[in-house]
Amino acid sequence: MDFKKLFSAVNLKKFLSINIGTLIVAVSIHYFLVPSNLAAGGASGFAILLTSVIDIPISIILFVLNSILLILGFITMGMHFSAMTIYVNIIMSVFLRIMETISPMNIPITDDLFINLMFGILISSIGMSVVLNSGGSTGGTDILAKIIEKYTKFSFGNGLIICDGLITLGACFIYGPKLGMYALLGVIMNSFMIDWFIEGFNSKYSITIISEKIDIINNFIIKDLGRGSTIYIAQGGYSSEPRKILNSVMDRKEYIKLHNFVKKIDDRAFLFLSKVSEIEGNGFTYDID
């Protein structure tokens, strides 16, 4: 594990985000899911099932379980696990152990199982999205899904459904059909919420502008907003005259500044935008040279 790289100034922001995200996930597990016996898939869900069979704190079970899964991944897949994946496994157990010590939860926060499920999954999804968006990984049943994908005809998504499905099935046998169905609902909600939150983190706007003052606008984008742009020549469908069209990608705050600037210098400019996600390249996944 390269701790020097892990704690470098460049990665400090992501490192702190991963810690915060992991803490948020730990809060959801300790305060909402475990007291209500909501085994909503994943390694944490399986750990919740095991706590009903063996009297060991979930922090220890989850650490051992994730460690076994990581080793299994190395042996069967030869998979490369980043330092952050191992680190998240460690601090997740540390956070849970601290909470178990200073704030033990013997009963659920509320008597309403659905409220516990909603808040537990919502908080967990936010935390996991922060971790994933920062380049970390919680490991867990993702590793089993990868193994299933390699040695069977099932896809990764199908493998994940199988793993989480077996965990919720176990919840039905141990806790009864009611909690089992709530756990299954939690698996479905968690999947949709994580996708929704990650899309929100990564969303940007693609801006297209047609204006007589395109060069001035382009200069504002490059020098004032620090974004790149593309200018290409097109022909007007009605006038048949050549004109410049500018395209750039930026976040919402930058778009508001650009919109105000464009309207200030050319109120007849044609401008439209579309929402995009998964942006990679100069100024987004690495700095402009």
Side-chain angles (χ1 to χ4, degrees):
M1 186 184 296
D2 189 352
F3 282 102
K4 183 177 180 181
K5 182 179 180 181
L6 187 66
F7 289 96
S8 66
V10 176
N11 293 319
L12 183 59
K13 183 177 179 180
K14 287 187 176 182
F15 175 72
L16 292 175
S17 296
I18 285 175
N19 278 273
I20 293 171
T22 306
L23 176 60
I24 292 172
V25 175
V27 167
S28 73
I29 293 173
H30 179 70
Y31 289 101
F32 293 95
L33 301 182
V34 173
S36 301
N37 294 323
L38 290 168
S44 61
F46 188 52
I48 291 172
L49 295 182
L50 290 178
T51 56
S52 300
V53 180
I54 53 178
D55 188 20
I56 297 177
I58 192 171
S59 57
I60 298 175
I61 293 177
L62 195 58
F63 176 76
V64 173
L65 184 60
N66 275 326
S67 298
I68 292 172
L69 289 172
L70 286 168
I71 294 171
L72 186 63
F74 277 120
I75 294 173
T76 60
M77 299 287 292
M79 296 168 65
H80 171 71
F81 295 98
S82 68
M84 284 300 184
T85 305
I86 300 172
Y87 179 74
V88 168
N89 177 30
I90 295 172
I91 62 169
M92 175 73 78
S93 298
V94 171
F95 285 146
L96 284 170
R97 190 58 186 155
I98 292 172
M99 292 176 191
E100 289 168 351
T101 303
I102 66 175
S103 178
M105 293 293 295
N106 298 318
I107 59 173
I109 289 180
T110 73
D111 295 330
D112 193 319
L113 195 60
F114 185 71
I115 291 179
N116 290 328
L117 176 69
M118 285 292 295
F119 276 89
I121 295 300
L122 176 63
I123 294 170
S124 176
S125 300
I126 293 173
M128 291 182 69
S129 300
V130 172
V131 172
L132 293 171
N133 191 64
S134 301
S137 172
T138 56
T141 51
D142 289 0
I143 299 171
L144 290 178
K146 279 287 186 183
I147 295 173
I148 291 173
E149 181 184 30
K150 180 177 181 179
Y151 292 103
T152 69
K153 295 181 180 180
F154 292 105
S155 66
F156 173 78
N158 290 333
L160 202 57
I161 290 173
I162 291 172
C163 294
D164 289 339
L166 289 174
I167 291 170
T168 55
L169 183 63
C172 286
F173 282 108
I174 295 175
Y175 303 124
K178 180 180 179 180
L179 280 173
M181 286 187 285
Y182 269 108
L184 179 59
L185 178 61
V187 170
I188 297 171
M189 289 168 54
N190 189 57
S191 176
F192 281 104
M193 284 187 178
I194 288 176
D195 288 343
W196 188 73
F197 282 124
I198 289 179
E199 182 180 349
F201 285 137
N202 297 328
S203 64
K204 297 291 184 292
Y205 294 92
S206 176
I207 318 295
T208 300
I209 303 172
I210 303 174
S211 170
E212 298 295 331
K213 299 181 179 180
I214 209 73
D215 293 326
I216 300 175
I217 296 171
N218 183 57
N219 186 66
F220 176 80
I221 291 173
I222 295 173
K223 293 187 176 181
D224 292 77
L225 299 182
R227 289 297 180 192
S229 62
T230 300
I231 297 176
Y232 52 95
I233 305 298
Q235 180 177 300
Y238 178 77
S239 65
S240 296
E241 295 180 356
R243 60 179 65 227
K244 292 180 179 179
I245 298 179
L246 182 147
N247 179 257
S248 183
V249 177
M250 59 191 67
D251 61 31
R252 184 167 184 80
K253 290 182 180 179
E254 292 164 341
Y255 163 69
I256 293 173
K257 292 179 182 178
L258 176 62
H259 180 270
N260 293 336
F261 178 79
V262 171
K263 290 304 176 184
K264 182 178 179 181
I265 67 167
D266 184 7
D267 58 1
R268 296 179 62 85
F270 181 79
L271 184 151
F272 69 91
L273 75 158
S274 56
K275 193 174 183 179
V276 295
S277 59
E278 298 298 329
I279 306 300
E280 296 186 7
N282 281 341
F284 294 97
T285 53
Y286 52 86
D287 293 333
I288 298 175
D289 296 331

